[in-house]
Amino acid sequence: MEQPAGELGWGAKTLDDLFLPDKPREINFVMLPAATVSGLVIGENGDHLDGVRVSLVGDEMPPSSSVVANTRTDKGGRFELTGIPTGFQYQVLVEPYEAKPPWLAWASAPIVFTQHDDGNAHIEYSSIDGQPVDFGFQQLNLILKGTGINWKTALTDAREKKLELTWDGLSSKTVVRAGMAFLELGNEPK
C-alpha cells in the first residue's frame, strides 16, 4: 500500500494529519464537566407520564450519534439525563411511549447546560432585557401542551424560539435558584 500524497480530499487534510504506524503523535484530551438533569414529564391534565422518551439532541453531536442523552420516564413520570457535555446547544425532544407515524413529539428551544460545584444543573439563560442570568435548578419539569407535531417540525420550529422557563425559587436580575423549573413544550390544543 502506498501513502497518499498532497491533499487527502477531507477538507485541507494532508499526510501530516494522519495517524500512521511508527509516526508518534501527541493527543491531548480535555475533560469538561458534565451536567445531570432530572425531572418529571407532565401531561396537560397534570398526569405524570410514564414510558415517555426524553432525549437531548443538537447540531453539535459526538461522532455517529443522533442524541447526546436519552431515557424513558418511570411509572411516576420521572427522568434523569446524565453525562451531558456542557457548553453546547441542545434541544429537549419528548416522544410518546409508542413511536409511530406521524411521529408526534414536543421540542424545546435551544438550551446550553453549565455545571457548578453546588450539584445542581445550571443553564445559560437571558432575562427579558437580554442580560445573562445564572439559572440553577434541582429539577426540570417538562409540561407537554397539545398533541405534539412531527418531531422534525417540532425541532425546527422550536429552534427559532427563545427559551422561556418558570420556576419556584429565588431570583434576582442576574441569579435564579430554583427547586423546580418548568418548561412548557408544544402548542395549546386547538
Side-chain angles (χ1 to χ4, degrees):
M1 298 183 80
E2 292 182 29
Q3 292 181 0
E7 285 193 15
L8 302 176
W10 305 315
K13 302 295 183 196
T14 66
L15 190 58
D16 292 334
D17 296 307
L18 294 178
F19 289 87
L20 298 169
D22 300 320
K23 299 251 181 183
R25 299 208 43 195
E26 183 176 315
I27 301 175
N28 294 310
F29 292 95
V30 177
M31 301 297 287
L32 297 174
T36 296
V37 176
S38 60
L40 295 169
V41 176
I42 303 168
E44 281 188 296
N45 58 5
D47 291 343
H48 296 186
L49 304 177
D50 66 319
V52 174
R53 186 182 340 195
V54 179
S55 305
L56 285 180
V57 300
D59 292 334
E60 296 181 63
M61 303 296 292
S64 301
S65 297
S66 60
V67 298
V68 170
N70 77 5
T71 190
R72 287 199 182 266
T73 57
D74 67 11
K75 290 200 183 292
R78 291 178 294 272
F79 71 91
E80 182 175 75
L81 299 169
T82 60
I84 303 166
T86 57
F88 296 97
Q89 202 170 70
Y90 303 116
Q91 288 180 270
V92 175
L93 179 66
V94 179
E95 299 170 279
Y97 176 76
E98 200 171 313
K100 57 185 176 184
W103 314 109
L104 300 179
W106 299 260
S108 75
I111 300 174
V112 177
F113 292 96
T114 62
Q115 188 66 34
H116 292 248
D117 292 336
D118 64 8
N120 293 326
H122 287 249
I123 59 171
E124 290 181 6
Y125 193 72
S126 296
S127 64
I128 293 171
D129 60 2
Q131 297 301 310
V133 175
D134 176 11
F135 194 113
F137 56 90
Q138 294 174 344
Q139 181 174 313
L140 179 62
N141 293 336
L142 306 174
I143 303 168
L144 306 185
K145 297 288 186 179
T147 57
I149 58 177
N150 176 273
W151 70 275
K152 284 184 181 180
T153 304
L155 286 169
T156 301
D157 289 354
R159 190 174 293 132
E160 303 304 319
K161 294 182 180 176
K162 181 181 183 287
L163 183 64
E164 293 183 21
L165 297 162
T166 56
W167 58 87
D168 75 344
L170 305 173
S171 64
S172 70
K173 283 188 164 191
T174 59
V175 176
V176 172
R177 293 296 177 261
M180 285 189 269
F182 302 91
L183 178 58
E184 290 186 4
L185 306 178
N187 302 314
E188 295 296 328
K190 295 181 175 161

